[in-house]
Amino acid sequence: MVYVGGVVAVQRRSVLLGLALAPFWGTRAMAAARRVVAIGPGALRMVAYLGATDLLVGCEDVERRLPNASTYRLALPQRVRTLPSLGPGGPGRLPDLEQLLAVHPDLAVSVALDAQQVQALSQRAGIPALSLSFGETGILREDTVVDAWRRLGAALGREHRAAELAAFFQASIAELQSRLRGQPRVPTYLGGVSLSGSHGIASTQAGHLPLVWAGARNLADQTGRSGHLFLDREQLLAWDPTVLFIDGGGLPGIVAEYARDPALYQRLRAVRERRVYLTLPFNAYNANVENALANAWFMAKVLHPQALATLHIEAKAGEILRGFLGADLLPALAKLGYGQGLLDLASGRWTPLSA
């Protein structure tokens, strides 16, 4: 017997399934999980991508929040929001163990928990734990996320869906790169990138994968750093990008920032020449992978209009959202103020490229 969280629970077999033990699930030696909980930033997103929300038996409180910039939450069945609580949730926070045991899961899918936390979850609650990753904090890694889908698919008996999603994702990237072959990389800046909250124009990301896919030369890469960073405004003015992308997660703060100091923005050539564009939120309780891919196509359309002259960007974004989440969520995102298009900083309004 083990005393956990104020209740006495029968100690179930403890299995720690970290990255090193991923092949264990692939052997099918253990039956696919049928009662699942998702813990940490992006865990529920992973389950949603694989169309496995029917297996969930509990939900972090943070996942019930609407409206927000986490696209997958718009596609969640209503039953997910009414599931028993696992506690507040949040980066690096373990669930309430008493509430966790009360829903009797046979697998905990976790993201952004360190090895010690995953071990504590597995050993103290007696629940097998599968640790997944999108990449380093705030950075999306293509190979890492594809591996996570395949491992989760094996654990949930959704191997076919995992393979289908990986093939869709990689084929879209390959198609975009093929269409951009031979195109020069255009100097570009992305501002307003969210990480642990929304931020202003100085918040950016070096090594931003959608900009790589889009054939851009990310000016933030010139810092020699990797991942999220706050850029000195004078450096941004010195670079004076001809194209400025604004991440949707930071839009409210950037509109407020512009209202306080429009002169700063007007010193930028991209602002004066009306080459400021809004993208879908990249980070929101970890990376929105579907938004990242849709943004890459959108950015490429802006940067390389001749190479993508026949591309209808709304249709492509809708196709990507359906491929990941089973529905074109662009209309729902637009109602929340999110989208892809030419941005007017004074009003905060954006216009689709096709308009």
Side-chain angles (χ1 to χ4, degrees):
M1 305 288 281
V2 58
Y3 189 81
V4 181
V7 295
V8 177
V10 175
Q11 175 67 57
R12 284 174 282 173
R13 185 163 57 101
S14 175
V15 182
L16 177 60
L17 293 170
L19 290 171
L21 298 183
F24 181 74
W25 285 103
T27 64
R28 306 281 296 185
M30 177 177 281
R34 287 292 174 262
R35 297 182 63 81
V36 176
V37 291
I39 299 164
L44 179 54
R45 180 187 279 110
M46 291 285 198
V47 174
Y49 286 161
L50 295 196
T53 57
D54 57 305
L55 302 179
L56 293 169
V57 293
C59 183
E60 293 178 321
D61 294 343
V62 69
E63 297 285 17
R64 306 177 199 274
R65 296 177 187 170
L66 282 173
N68 61 72
S70 298
T71 306
Y72 68 97
R73 290 182 189 165
L74 298 172
L76 291 175
Q78 183 58 35
R79 68 168 290 274
V80 174
R81 299 188 180 90
T82 60
L83 288 171
S85 171
L86 301 174
R93 298 183 67 174
L94 287 171
D96 180 289
L97 290 182
E98 184 173 350
Q99 292 173 284
L100 178 65
L101 289 169
V103 299
H104 306 293
D106 53 27
L107 178 68
V109 179
S110 71
V111 174
L113 298 181
D114 61 35
Q116 208 168 25
Q117 289 175 311
V118 173
Q119 186 171 11
L121 175 65
S122 180
Q123 291 180 343
R124 292 170 62 192
I127 300 166
L130 177 64
S131 179
L132 303 176
S133 175
F134 288 73
E136 296 92 325
T137 302
I139 299 181
L140 177 64
R141 298 292 186 198
E142 180 183 343
D143 56 348
T144 301
V145 77
V146 167
D147 178 68
W149 294 336
R150 288 175 174 155
R151 294 174 54 229
L152 182 58
L156 303 183
R158 304 291 170 96
E159 294 95 336
H160 177 76
R161 169 57 186 162
E164 175 186 67
L165 179 59
F168 175 83
F169 178 55
Q170 293 175 318
S172 186
I173 295 168
E175 180 190 355
L176 179 56
Q177 293 179 333
S178 175
R179 295 179 69 168
L180 296 179
R181 190 168 293 120
Q183 296 293 315
R185 291 196 172 269
V186 181
T188 306
Y189 181 78
L190 171 67
V193 177
S194 298
L195 187 69
S196 300
S198 61
H199 307 289
I201 191 70
S203 179
T204 189
Q205 186 186 69
H208 188 69
L209 202 50
L211 284 175
V212 175
W213 294 332
R217 179 162 65 85
N218 184 359
L219 291 171
D221 292 345
Q222 296 183 24
T223 64
R225 297 169 60 185
S226 178
H228 183 266
L229 58 97
F230 289 101
L231 190 73
D232 185 279
R233 291 185 180 186
E234 291 303 317
Q235 180 61 72
L236 178 58
L237 293 171
W239 283 338
D240 197 16
T242 57
V243 178
L244 177 62
F245 290 109
I246 300 299
D247 186 89
L251 180 60
I254 284 179
V255 171
E257 200 173 57
Y258 180 87
R260 290 193 304 269
D261 190 6
L264 168 70
Y265 282 83
Q266 288 298 329
R267 291 171 64 187
L268 294 170
R269 177 179 171 185
V271 175
R272 295 195 305 272
E273 296 182 356
R274 293 180 53 80
R275 289 178 59 79
V276 181
Y277 301 90
L278 181 68
T279 66
L280 296 171
F282 175 68
N283 275 330
Y285 208 46
N286 221 317
N288 289 309
V289 185
E290 69 288 356
N291 288 0
L293 183 56
N295 283 343
W297 280 93
F298 171 72
M299 291 167 164
K301 175 77 171 180
V302 169
L303 300 174
H304 308 284
Q306 292 184 336
L308 296 174
T310 61
L311 175 68
H312 188 287
I313 195 61
E314 290 86 357
K316 175 57 73 173
E319 170 194 311
I320 290 168
L321 294 179
R322 283 193 300 273
F324 274 79
L325 295 165
D328 179 358
L329 300 170
L330 286 179
L333 287 166
K335 289 181 180 179
L336 298 175
Y338 302 120
Q340 297 173 311
L342 186 65
L343 177 64
D344 176 52
L345 288 169
S347 66
R349 296 176 181 171
W350 55 275
T351 306
L353 292 186
S354 59

